Amino acid sequence: PITARVCVCLAFVQLIASITVWARYGTGGLVTEVSQVELVYFFGAAVMLLPAMLLEVAYGLSSQCRTLQLKLSGSELSACVVVEYVVKLVCYSTMASFEGGIVHKNMRAFGPQRGCYTLRFMAWSIAVPTLIFLNNYSLWGRPSFGDLVRRLWPNLFVTWSYVLASWVAQVTPVSTAGWVLVALSLLSYLAAASDQMNILISMDRSGLGFPFKAGVVLVKEALFAGYGALYLLGVANIVSSSKEQLIYSIGDVLLKVLQASVLVVVRNWEELAGLRQNLQQKVQAGKEDMYRLFRHANAPILTMTQDGVVVAWNEHLGRLSGVPETEAVGMSVFHLVREECWLGLRSALGSCSSGVSSGAVEIVLKGGEEDGRPTRMLLTLIAQLSGGEQWTITAIG
């Protein structure tokens, strides 16, 4: 689609521009002193990420104990989610432990000097494309890897390149080149968001988990838009450096945990829904097989309520009695047998109504006399509870 082509064009333009600016002008130098408050924020983010990552690892391992059908979707997505957790955890742990890691001067910022945390941009260059891949893998519903990559690579490429351009824009000492890269990165974000909406609109929306998965995508786009706004507000010194780092830290953790939680819910929901559908199909097939066996059995079989109302009447019994199924169903069985059998039949039905299957009871059909002799048969009555309240009696002759 046109949105993907625009993404590819912008990605190449800003990649070439970023490499050229960085190679020609370098950076404005490193920050010598990092705010201790910001280091505390980084440590807090790492602490929040660790238990969430361990839970995802546990979920992924648990999928190995499931059936093959569950294992396929559980372990694949869990591996990608864990990779994203590891990247962010390493990033924030390193920044908290080593004075921010590599901290360049933010050359675009107005007002007091503030740092540009290079490790965070490096983590974003991996984590953000991974996040987009996960969202879309979930949306597509187990696509082939080749099909997914062919559709997504323009979006992933432009996302990776605008993260790079955003970093170069902050650290380059040349103001004009920096602002051009800022404009390119913002334009590329809009292109990537438009392409994501195009993908979302083209998806099959009939699945049970689609609203949740689409919601995660929309939240992700809203948060990325917020990151872009925060980027500009920080450069303009409207938001202080400490507040900017606090929001980035909280946003990274919340988005990751939200995405992982929704994916777990949706994965299990869809898997259980699939298993339920398969089970219903098997039960229905079993019912159909039993009905065919009942209908065409070479033995007289009928099913009735505890009051003796006929519910089912097979073909063999119809031939013996001369009463077809269409007439017999809904009639009282006492209208179909001779009066001399009523007492024994009523006693047998009474026993079955208490949940006790009776032994054999002899009946004589009203119709179906052959050579002047009445049709006699022995019926074995079997009681079963139907619907949790009513007893159904099946009689086999």
Side-chain angles (χ1 to χ4, degrees):
I2 186 64
T3 53
R5 296 177 186 178
V6 171
C7 285
V8 172
C9 293
L10 284 172
F12 277 113
V13 169
Q14 67 184 349
L15 179 61
I16 294 170
S18 299
I19 293 174
T20 302
V21 170
W22 179 74
R24 184 176 179 84
Y25 303 112
T27 68
L30 299 175
V31 172
T32 55
E33 186 177 353
V34 178
S35 168
Q36 295 302 306
V37 174
E38 294 176 10
L39 297 181
V40 172
Y41 296 155
F42 301 153
F43 178 76
V47 168
M48 289 187 289
L49 283 167
L50 182 58
M53 184 189 73
L54 293 177
L55 286 174
E56 186 63 36
V57 170
Y59 176 83
L61 292 176
S62 70
S63 69
Q64 304 298 319
C65 302
R66 304 177 182 183
T67 63
L68 180 60
Q69 180 183 0
L70 293 177
K71 180 178 173 181
L72 287 174
S73 63
S75 56
E76 287 173 355
L77 288 180
S78 288
C80 293
V81 172
V82 170
V83 167
E84 191 179 356
Y85 269 128
V86 169
V87 169
K88 289 188 176 181
L89 184 60
V90 169
C91 168
Y92 280 106
S93 300
T94 304
M95 289 196 297
S97 304
F98 298 97
E99 297 293 318
I102 305 171
V103 188
H104 287 89
K105 294 178 181 178
N106 188 338
M107 305 304 294
R108 301 286 75 73
F110 296 96
Q113 176 183 288
R114 65 172 67 205
C116 172
Y117 290 91
T118 300
L119 279 180
R120 175 181 279 130
F121 281 92
M122 292 172 65
W124 280 345
S125 69
I126 300 173
V128 174
T130 303
L131 177 65
I132 294 171
F133 179 85
L134 281 170
N135 285 158
N136 286 277
Y137 184 97
S138 176
L139 267 179
W140 281 39
R142 295 189 188 180
S144 70
F145 183 78
D147 290 341
L148 186 61
V149 170
R150 274 192 295 273
R151 179 58 187 90
L152 273 187
W153 79 265
N155 198 297
L156 301 178
F157 185 26
V158 77
T159 300
W160 176 83
S161 64
Y162 77 61
V163 172
L164 173 64
S166 300
W167 175 76
V168 176
Q170 284 195 351
V171 301
T172 182
V174 180
S175 179
T176 302
W179 286 112
V180 168
L181 288 176
V182 168
L184 272 175
S185 61
L186 292 176
L187 187 61
S188 296
Y189 162 71
L190 294 175
S194 299
D195 189 51
Q196 179 64 79
M197 292 302 103
N198 193 359
I199 293 174
L200 191 61
I201 292 171
S202 66
M203 291 293 99
D204 178 14
R205 294 183 285 277
S206 61
L208 290 173
F210 180 83
F212 294 97
K213 293 182 282 190
V216 172
V217 171
L218 295 176
V219 169
K220 179 259 296 181
E221 292 301 334
L223 188 59
F224 284 2
Y227 274 19
L230 183 61
Y231 179 93
L232 295 176
L233 291 173
V235 168
N237 201 34
I238 296 175
V239 175
S240 67
S241 178
S242 60
K243 288 182 180 179
E244 181 183 5
Q245 301 310 318
L246 174 62
I247 296 172
Y248 279 144
S249 301
I250 293 175
D252 279 354
V253 174
L254 288 182
L255 179 60
K256 183 65 254 153
V257 172
L258 172 66
Q259 180 217 37
S261 301
V262 172
L263 284 178
V264 167
V265 172
V266 171
R267 275 178 278 174
N268 283 282
W269 187 2
E270 290 180 333
E271 289 165 356
L272 291 175
L275 289 179
R276 181 172 179 268
Q277 184 179 7
N278 289 339
L279 181 60
Q280 288 176 335
Q281 290 174 349
K282 291 178 180 179
V283 170
Q284 183 61 33
K287 286 181 178 179
E288 292 173 356
D289 289 342
M290 288 299 295
Y291 179 73
R292 283 193 294 269
L293 178 63
F294 169 86
R295 187 179 181 86
H296 302 297
N298 192 27
I301 307 174
L302 74 150
T303 302
M304 51 193 157
T305 67
Q306 60 192 29
D307 298 323
V309 177
V310 176
V311 176
W313 183 269
N314 80 341
E315 292 178 352
H316 190 75
L317 189 52
R319 289 194 296 270
L320 291 175
S321 65
V323 181
E325 181 184 15
T326 53
E327 294 181 16
V329 171
M331 292 179 63
S332 173
V333 71
F334 295 101
H335 294 159
L336 299 167
V337 301
R338 292 189 176 184
E339 187 174 350
E340 62 195 71
C341 309
W342 287 5
L343 184 60
L345 184 57
R346 187 173 287 114
S347 176
L349 288 175
S351 298
C352 289
S353 298
S354 302
V356 180
S357 297
S358 74
V361 58
E362 183 179 14
I363 66 168
V364 180
L365 296 174
K366 281 186 176 180
E369 288 87 354
E370 188 174 338
D371 298 330
R373 294 178 297 174
T375 302
R376 296 175 177 270
M377 65 178 69
L378 286 176
L379 292 179
T380 301
L381 273 59
I382 303 170
Q384 60 184 27
L385 200 58
S386 176
E389 297 179 357
Q390 296 292 328
W391 287 97
T392 300
I393 296 96
T394 299
I396 304 175

